[in-house]
Amino acid sequence: MSVSVRLPRGMWVIVAALFGTVLICGAVLLDARLNATVEQRVSEGTAVTGRVVQVERFRVSRSSSVIRMTVAYAVDGVAYQERFSSALDEGRHHSGEELTVYVDRNDPSRAATADRYATEDLLLKLPILLGAAGGLAIVAALVWIKTGGRPPGTR
């Protein structure tokens, strides 16, 4: 037995607009939470010296890529080598460079730099993707309203 739910004509516009709004709100909340986490790590973490081992451009899609850097550092004699990225993706670091890394005292594999690179890596890009998806859903709903449900260019 299959159950089919059919929305009244045009109701999907409301659903798409609401879905887009929820995605954008989720993006804003996640971005705020990630920023607070990075700021807390920098302000309360233990400062150690790290060395950039590698800087790479990681392709997310055909038109989008992010800069990721691998940083080696040691905490209490234990060596760590972690990937860092930034929501701003400025790519200002280079291999061999020394930098200050602020590590979480409870989990030294979690770290950040003062210029907002952090080991949350690609999670820092998620708010941008959620916001873009939400914006596209809202634009699709607006196009549907403007065209009355007809493909653009038809009457």
Side-chain angles (χ1 to χ4, degrees), residues 134-145:
L136 289 174
I138 291 172
V139 167
L142 292 173
V143 167
W144 178 271
I145 290 169

Side-chain angles (χ1 to χ4, degrees), residues 73-90:
Y73 57 94
V75 178
D76 296 330
V78 178
Y80 293 88
Q81 188 164 312
E82 302 293 334
R83 280 199 175 116
F84 288 65
S85 68
S86 168
L88 300 176
D89 197 26
E90 295 175 9

Side-chain angles (χ1 to χ4, degrees), residues 62-122:
R62 288 190 308 173
S63 61
S64 178
S65 62
V66 296
I67 300 293
R68 296 166 87 185
M69 63 179 181
T70 304
V71 178
Y73 57 94
V75 178
D76 296 330
V78 178
Y80 293 88
Q81 188 164 312
E82 302 293 334
R83 280 199 175 116
F84 288 65
S85 68
S86 168
L88 300 176
D89 197 26
E90 295 175 9
R92 61 176 87 148
H93 296 288
H94 57 276
S95 293
E97 177 183 356
E98 273 192 5
L99 58 121
T100 302
V101 177
Y102 300 90
V103 298
D104 184 320
R105 292 180 183 116
N106 299 321
D107 182 0
S109 68
R110 295 187 156 299
T113 65
D115 59 349
R116 310 190 59 72
Y117 278 82
T119 54
E120 275 67 17
D121 201 22
L122 296 179

Side-chain angles (χ1 to χ4, degrees), residues 7 19 21 33 43 65-66 126 132 134 154:
L7 294 174
F19 181 67
T21 302
R33 179 68 182 124
S43 67
S65 62
V66 296
L126 188 56
T154 61

